[in-house]
Every structure is written in structure tokens, then in C-alpha cells.
């Protein structure tokens, strides 16, 4: 490990331009560009960057970083709509706002988009035709970077940007100008709205300035060409060697990430799992999900179910698992689908979660609305508490009968709601 650390330091010293210019974390502009590119791939207009939504998003990212936890609830219990209103969005008019969040220690535009695309709810927000504007924020805390994206629409005020349906024409060469801060933002929007995008606006804007810095730094220095070639060869050799040395350490983490991305089935029979003995706060996001599988399995043992399989659904603040099980121990029953939710202690108390389940029960009994039916454990309780030695607080788990449905925006869009 000391050899690897020395190698990394040596590479950084030899290549200051790489270490200084490399973007280890994506920026809000990159996230907005990635979302607009995704919308363009699906035939949708781009979302216009809005400074007030950006202010609301940045405030929520700062708050999440301060508490080191993913949450849609802001300071004082604020909501996404309330934060956008407080930032001045809509100026007291009716507004429609949605928010998506993401965190990671080595976040990239690809990893963020993959998480959101894998969630029907978040994917629906990114591809919703109901919104016209977007803002994004970024903040770091506890070794993780927190990203918040807010999309919005003001009825009668905002409108969709035009689609770019024409093929890009061949442009005549023009003189390259030094980009300004406003041109970087415009490049991010226009490039992401088109069909062909090879890099984010920020990366493209950085290229001319980097070239300028390298040219000015070399003025007055008479460095032989063979020295430059030798330095490049040495750096390449060291980079290849570093990749080989680090490959073995990365294999375990990559396997865990592939397990999460692929949604691999977790069979409820004994299987090999890494023993995670470190405190929960010191584990990676992938290790969190593995440890929460242990919690899910312990919780399911408290229900009168014969488990067939458990599949991970998503893990943001809470962790959700799709469970296939036989009700009771009678094999003549058909397997049914259930949802097990492992709640984060940072979100709600046990009493609040129990109240939520009682509320769902009351809706099913007193109305014709189709909502998930909570499942009581063997003790007749709606909430099951599960603790592990390396968790500071127990996790409160609930099980519900699986309720088929579709994304809300497909049938209950804001315009239809307001016109009713």
C-alpha cells in the first residue's frame, strides 16, 4: 500500500497539469447537461437552467452535507416546493416543483444518471414533459458529495424550449475566443440539447484556457524535445504500473457495484456474504446495502412468511426490497409479492412510521383507494425493530403487500389536476 501511495504522489508531482485540471467530481452544470442529453435522446425539449431553482437546490445540498445524510426534508421540515418558493421562484404564483438527490464519494455523471434511471419515480421526473426549468446544487461533507436537482414550471409564465430537430450543419472555421462564465453555461445548455455531444460544456470551455496556460508557462524555457518525450514515456509507464497495482484492490468494490446495478437476485437461503464488522458510518454505499440485506433477512424472520426470494429495489435514504414469499407455511398457497422497507433512523421515528402504516390501513378500510396494505408481524405489530452490533441505532422495518401501479405523472399531471 505504501508503494501505491508513493507511486500516486510521484505521478502527481510529474503531471501537475493533470492533477490540477482533472475533475474528480461532477459539477451541477454537468448534471444538468447529462439530464438534458437524456431528454434529447427521448425526443424531449431541454430544460432551461434557472438561477432561483439552482439557489434552492444548492441550499438543500448544503443541508444534506451538514447532516451527512440524503434527505428531501430540509431545515425546519421544509419541502422542495417550499424551498423553491422561499428562493423567490414563481413570485407568489402557483408553481410545480420536483426534486431528485444523489450522493457518492466518487460521483460521476454516469453513476448519478444510472441511479436515477433505475428508479421509475426519478426516471419519470427527468423525462417529465410537465417541467420547463431546472437548477442543481453540490456540496461535500463526511467524505461524500451531495447533489440536488430541482425541476419546476410556473403555469402561464414558463414555456418549453424549442426542440432541435435539424441536423447540425457544417460550420466554417472561426477564431477561438476565450470562454466567459456566461458562455460556459450557454454551451452546457446548447450542447446537451442537441443530438451530438462529446463532452460537457465545462470540459469544452476549459480546453482553450488550459492550452493558453501551458503556452505561457513554457515561454522563455529552452527544454530539449528529448526531455519532454522521456517525461511523457515515464508518466505513461507509471500510470500503467499504477493501474496494475490498484486493480486487485478495486475488484471487490467493482463486484459490489455490479451486484447493485444489475439488481441481482438475493436468494433467501444461506449464501456467502462479506462480514462487515466496521461501524456503519465507515462503510461504503455498496457495503451499506449489503449490511442492510442482513437487516432485511432478520426482519423477514419476524413475519409469518415462507421466503422464496428477496431482490434489492433501491437504496437512497431508506432501503427497499421486493420479496416473493408464501403466506404462512402451507405450500399449497401461491407465492405473493411483498415490499420490505428498511427505514433510516435519520428520517422518521418508530412512532411516526407506525402512524404511517395505521394511516394506510384506515385509507383501505374507509375508502376505495388502492394503497399498499401493511403486514403485521408474528407479534401483531406493524413495525419491526432490527439491530446489528455495528449499527449505532436499530432499523425500523415495515412489510406491505405489493401494490401494482404506474408513475403518477402519466395520469395525474398538474394541468389535469388544476382543470378539474
Amino acid at each position: 500500500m505504501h508503494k501505491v501511495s508513493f507511486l500516486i504522489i510521484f505521478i502527481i508531482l510529474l503531471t501537475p497539469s493533470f492533477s490540477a485540471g482533472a475533475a474528480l467530481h461532477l459539477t451541477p452544470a454537468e448534471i444538468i447537461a447529462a439530464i438534458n442529453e437524456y431528454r434529447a435522446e427521448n425526443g424531449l425539449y431541454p430544460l432551461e437552467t434557472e438561477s432561483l431553482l439552482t439557489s434552492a437546490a444548492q441550499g438543500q445540498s448544503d443541508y444534506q452535507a451538514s447532516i451527512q445524510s440524503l434527505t428531501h426534508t430540509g431545515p425546519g421540515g421544509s419541502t422542495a416546493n417550499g424551498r423553491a418558493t422561499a428562493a423567490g421562484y414563481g413570485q407568489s404564483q402557483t408553481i410545480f416543483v420536483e426534486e431528485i438527490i444523489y450522493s457518492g464519494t466518487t460521483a460521476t455523471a454516469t453513476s448519478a444518471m444510472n441511479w436515477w434511471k433505475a428508479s421509475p419515480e426519478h426516471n419519470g421526473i427527468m423525462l417529465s414533459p410537465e417541467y420547463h426549468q431546472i437548477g442543481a446544487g453540490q456540496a461535500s461533507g463526511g467524505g461524500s458529495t451531495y447533489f440536488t436537482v430541482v425541476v419546476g414550471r410556473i403555469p402561464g409564465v414558463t414555456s418549453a424550449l424549442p426542440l432541435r430537430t435539424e441536423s447540425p450543419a457544417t460550420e466554417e472555421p472561426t477564431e477561438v475566443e476565450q470562454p466567459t462564465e456566461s458562455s460556459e453555461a450557454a454551451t452546457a445548455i446548447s450542447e446537451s440539447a442537441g443530438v451530438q455531444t462529446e463532452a460537457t460544456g465545462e470540459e469544452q470551455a476549459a480546453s482553450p484556457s488550459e492550452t493558453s496556460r501551458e503556452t505561457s508557462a513554457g515561454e522563455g524555457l529552452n527544454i530539449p524535445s528529448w526531455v519532454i518525450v522521456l517525461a511523457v514515456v515515464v508518466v505513461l509507464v507509471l500510470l500503467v504500473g499504477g493501474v496494475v497495482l490498484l486493480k486487485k484492490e478495486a475488484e471487490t468494490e467493482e463486484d459490489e457495484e455490479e451486484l447493485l446495478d444489475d439488481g441481482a437476485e438475493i436468494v433467501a437461503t444461506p449464501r456467502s456474504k462479506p462480514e462487515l464488522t466496521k461501524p456503519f458510518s465507515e462503510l461504503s454505499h455498496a457495503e451499506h446495502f449489503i449490511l442492510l440485506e442482513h437487516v432485511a433477512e432478520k426482519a423477514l424472520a419476524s413475519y409469518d412468511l415462507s421466503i422464496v426470494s428477496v431482490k434489492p429495489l433501491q437504496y437512497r435514504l431508506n432501503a427497499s426490497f421486493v420479496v416473493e414469499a408464501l403466506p404462512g407455511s402451507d405450500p399449497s398457497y401461491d407465492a405473493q409479492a411483498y415490499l420490505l422497507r428498511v427505514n433510516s433512523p435519520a428520517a422518521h421515528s418508530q412512532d411516526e412510521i407506525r402512524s404511517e402504516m395505521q394511516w394506510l390501513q384506515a385509507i383501505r378500510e374507509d375508502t376505495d383507494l388502492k394503497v399498499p396494505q401493511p403486514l403485521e408481524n408474528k407479534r401483531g405489530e406493524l413495525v419491526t425493530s432490527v439491530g446489528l452490533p455495528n449499527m449505532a441505532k436499530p432499523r425500523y422495518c415495515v412489510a406491505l403487500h405489493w401494490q401494482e401501479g404506474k408513475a403518477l405523472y402519466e395520469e395525474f399531471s398538474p394541468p389535469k389536476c388544476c382543470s378539474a
Side-chain angles (χ1 to χ4, degrees):
M1 187 64 187
H2 293 295
K3 293 181 179 179
V4 174
S5 300
F6 176 77
L7 178 61
I8 293 174
I9 294 173
F10 189 50
I11 292 173
I12 292 174
L13 291 176
L14 283 178
T15 56
S17 62
F18 295 161
S19 60
L24 297 179
H25 294 288
L26 71 163
T27 65
E30 288 177 307
I31 278 290
I32 292 175
I35 290 175
N36 276 334
E37 181 180 354
Y38 183 43
R39 290 174 63 88
E41 293 171 356
N42 287 272
L44 293 169
Y45 54 82
L47 298 174
E48 177 187 10
T49 302
E50 216 291 328
S51 60
L52 296 178
L53 293 182
T54 295
S55 176
Q58 184 61 51
Q60 184 63 6
S61 287
D62 291 338
Y63 177 69
Q64 292 176 96
S66 69
I67 64 173
Q68 298 180 23
S69 179
L70 273 176
T71 177
H72 287 289
T73 303
S78 65
T79 63
N81 193 290
R83 290 188 291 273
T85 300
Y89 186 65
Q91 299 180 350
S92 301
Q93 299 183 70
T94 299
I95 63 173
F96 296 100
V97 168
E98 291 278 9
E99 177 183 89
I100 56 178
I101 53 180
Y102 175 81
S103 74
T105 55
T106 55
T108 65
T110 300
S111 63
M113 293 299 293
N114 284 343
W115 272 110
W116 289 330
K117 289 178 183 179
S119 167
E121 178 183 0
H122 296 79
N123 189 63
I125 292 173
M126 291 193 295
L127 297 181
S128 173
E130 305 297 338
Y131 300 104
H132 304 147
Q133 298 178 317
I134 186 171
Q138 166 195 343
S140 298
S144 294
T145 303
Y146 296 84
F147 296 92
T148 303
V149 174
V150 180
V151 295
R153 180 175 67 88
I154 308 173
V157 177
T158 61
S159 59
L161 294 177
L163 281 170
R164 286 180 56 184
T165 56
E166 69 277 2
S167 301
T170 302
E171 299 180 359
E172 296 181 359
T174 57
E175 183 179 354
V176 177
E177 297 181 357
Q178 291 294 334
T180 63
E181 183 175 350
S182 60
S183 67
E184 291 181 2
T187 303
I189 296 174
S190 61
E191 290 293 332
S192 61
V195 177
Q196 297 179 345
T197 302
E198 297 182 357
T200 63
E202 181 173 335
E203 292 170 341
Q204 291 176 349
S207 299
S209 60
E210 288 175 2
T211 302
S212 175
R213 287 197 300 270
E214 292 170 2
T215 302
S216 60
E219 291 178 358
L221 297 178
N222 188 17
I223 302 175
S225 59
W226 67 267
V227 173
I228 298 175
V229 173
L230 179 60
V232 171
V233 171
V234 171
V235 169
L236 290 176
V237 170
L238 291 175
L239 286 174
V240 172
V243 170
V244 173
L245 289 175
L246 293 173
K247 183 177 180 181
K248 186 173 182 180
E249 293 183 13
E251 284 179 351
T252 301
E253 184 175 351
E254 288 176 357
D255 290 342
E256 293 172 357
E257 293 291 348
E258 288 176 3
L259 173 65
L260 296 180
D261 291 341
D262 295 341
E265 181 174 327
I266 306 170
V267 182
T269 54
R271 65 185 181 94
S272 61
K273 285 185 181 179
E275 291 297 329
L276 304 176
T277 57
K278 295 188 298 183
F280 189 80
S281 59
E282 298 179 8
L283 300 176
S284 67
H285 189 276
E287 289 172 333
H288 282 177
F289 210 172
I290 294 174
L291 192 62
L292 291 174
E293 292 175 19
H294 291 280
V295 174
E297 290 172 355
K298 290 187 66 174
L300 288 170
S302 301
Y303 294 90
D304 190 18
L305 298 172
S306 298
I307 307 301
V308 177
S309 66
V310 182
K311 296 180 181 179
L313 181 60
Q314 69 174 11
Y315 172 41
R316 300 295 186 271
L317 184 61
N318 302 323
S320 301
F321 300 86
V322 179
V323 180
E324 185 179 1
L326 301 172
S329 57
D330 189 344
S332 63
Y333 286 116
D334 293 330
Q336 298 182 16
Y338 301 88
L339 174 73
L340 181 78
R341 189 181 74 197
V342 181
N343 295 275
S344 167
H348 300 288
S349 67
Q350 185 176 14
D351 289 339
E352 290 172 332
I353 298 170
R354 183 183 299 109
S355 176
E356 176 194 5
M357 297 299 104
Q358 292 171 342
W359 178 65
L360 289 175
Q361 284 183 325
I363 291 177
R364 289 186 63 88
E365 293 174 0
D366 300 338
T367 73
D368 295 330
L369 297 176
K370 295 181 180 180
V371 297
Q373 178 182 354
L375 188 67
E376 295 181 347
N377 59 25
K378 295 177 182 178
R379 299 184 298 275
E381 299 172 345
L382 292 171
V383 182
T384 302
S385 178
V386 176
L388 292 179
N390 52 341
M391 286 184 170
K393 297 180 180 179
R395 296 295 173 122
Y396 301 121
C397 307
V398 295
L400 305 100
H401 289 268
W402 184 265
Q403 180 68 53
E404 294 292 343
K406 60 175 63 177
L408 185 62
Y409 73 89
E410 295 180 6
E411 290 186 348
F412 193 64
S413 61
K416 294 180 182 178
C417 173
C418 295
S419 61

